[in-house]
Amino acid sequence: MVHSLWQVIDNSKLFAYLIILSKLVQSILVMSKLGGKVIAAFATFIAVLTYLAIGAAIFQAIEQEHEIEQREEYDQQLNLLLDKVDPVFHDELKAPCHMIEILEANPNNTAQWDFVNSVIFCLTIVTTIGYGATYPVTDEGRGFCIFFALIGIPLFMACLAVYAQHTANLIRWIMKKLGLTNGLEDEQTEKMQQLITAAFCLTVILTFSGYLSYKENWDYSDSVYFTFISFTTIGFGDLYPSSNTTDFHIIFICFLILGLISLGTVIEAQTTNFGNLLRTISSSCDCLCKNRCFGGDRVPVDE
């Protein structure tokens, strides 16, 4: 009896393994049908990362040397000034000089053109955010910035469009798996998908805002403002994070890309809705104009 019971257990395990295997094969078949799209999306993502890395390395090579020279020149001028002043007044003299250094974007204690900061700078170019916190000051850097933007902006926009479409498809697939689309018409399904996408986008905004508020000691309203200005690529630059750790930069880049994709999907949907609304209004005005001018009848032609 024990042997029979053990055999039943083994058979049930085998049956469960077969079900899992069948699901895995089914998933592989689905992925194989979408293989071209998946490979294209992955290749686009790798192309953007490679382009950002190459651009960051070039900007670093061009601008970092100039930054070091500026810092050395600033230190020399400050030391010459301090030599001519009584040591009692050194602290009073350094404080306003340090403020001038920050306000005039002169070199400070933190390097602006290390590799990670250069990657973020390149990302602000291709996303057209342009905070203005970091910018090239050499003629070579400015010239390369123009060239980099001409290729990088369309490349990133193409990548953004691909992943926005994949995000929409993923949300639609989840809706079907959860049975949310049962009994709904296509128009109702589209509306529900837009609501879920907007909720996901709002979650990303609020989460990133909370993280910025914690790391930067900002008011939560300021964090929400900065996040929205960033995700919409407005990028005023009146607020900018001061954290300079690698972990912060990685989280910042991930949230920025995720926010651009989610909010871009929402804006695209709203653009379609406004376009449909304008076409409806235009058609209604056209019909109203015809009815008033011609009474809805055919205009008689004088012989």
Side-chain angles (χ1 to χ4, degrees), residues 22-203:
S22 65
K23 292 292 183 181
L24 181 61
V25 172
Q26 184 180 2
S27 301
I28 294 174
L29 291 175
V30 171
M31 290 297 293
S32 65
K33 293 179 181 179
L34 300 175
K37 295 182 180 179
V38 173
I39 293 174
F42 182 74
T44 306
F45 180 71
I46 293 299
V48 170
L49 288 183
T50 304
Y51 190 74
L52 291 176
I54 294 174
I58 295 176
F59 274 116
Q60 183 182 13
I62 295 174
E63 295 294 330
Q64 194 173 50
E65 182 178 357
H66 178 74
E67 182 187 12
I68 294 173
E69 292 176 355
Q70 271 192 320
R71 184 184 296 112
E72 292 176 351
E73 181 181 357
Y74 173 79
D75 290 338
Q76 290 176 0
Q77 291 178 355
L78 182 59
N79 290 329
L80 288 175
L81 181 62
L82 293 176
D83 290 340
K84 298 178 182 179
V85 178
D86 192 309
V88 176
F89 301 101
H90 280 192
D91 292 337
E92 288 79 0
L93 192 62
K94 285 181 180 180
C97 288
H98 182 64
M99 293 303 298
I100 293 174
E101 172 190 352
I102 294 175
L103 293 175
E104 295 183 353
N106 287 329
N108 48 47
N109 294 330
T110 302
Q112 294 183 355
W113 290 103
D114 59 9
F115 183 74
V116 177
N117 281 322
S118 299
V119 170
I120 293 179
F121 170 71
C122 291
L123 187 62
T124 62
I125 293 177
V126 299
T127 58
T128 69
I129 295 177
Y131 292 116
T134 303
Y135 48 86
V137 295
T138 63
D139 293 337
E140 297 84 358
R142 290 173 176 175
F144 179 70
C145 184
I146 295 173
F147 171 78
F148 184 82
L150 287 175
I151 299 177
I153 292 174
L155 176 63
F156 184 81
M157 292 305 169
C159 180
L160 197 65
V162 169
Y163 278 90
Q165 184 61 47
H166 279 285
T167 302
N169 293 337
L170 177 62
I171 293 175
R172 193 179 299 114
W173 179 81
I174 293 175
M175 289 171 57
K176 289 181 179 179
K177 288 297 182 180
L178 295 177
L180 300 178
T181 59
N182 295 338
L184 296 180
E185 298 179 356
D186 292 341
E187 185 176 354
Q188 294 175 325
T189 302
E190 185 68 22
K191 293 295 183 183
M192 179 178 288
Q193 180 180 346
Q194 291 180 9
L195 288 175
I196 294 176
T197 305
F200 172 71
C201 178
L202 182 61
T203 302

Side-chain angles (χ1 to χ4, degrees), residues 280-296:
T280 302
I281 294 174
S282 178
S283 300
S284 300
C285 292
D286 189 36
C287 293
L288 182 61
C289 181
K290 287 182 179 179
N291 289 331
R292 285 191 174 183
C293 294
F294 307 117

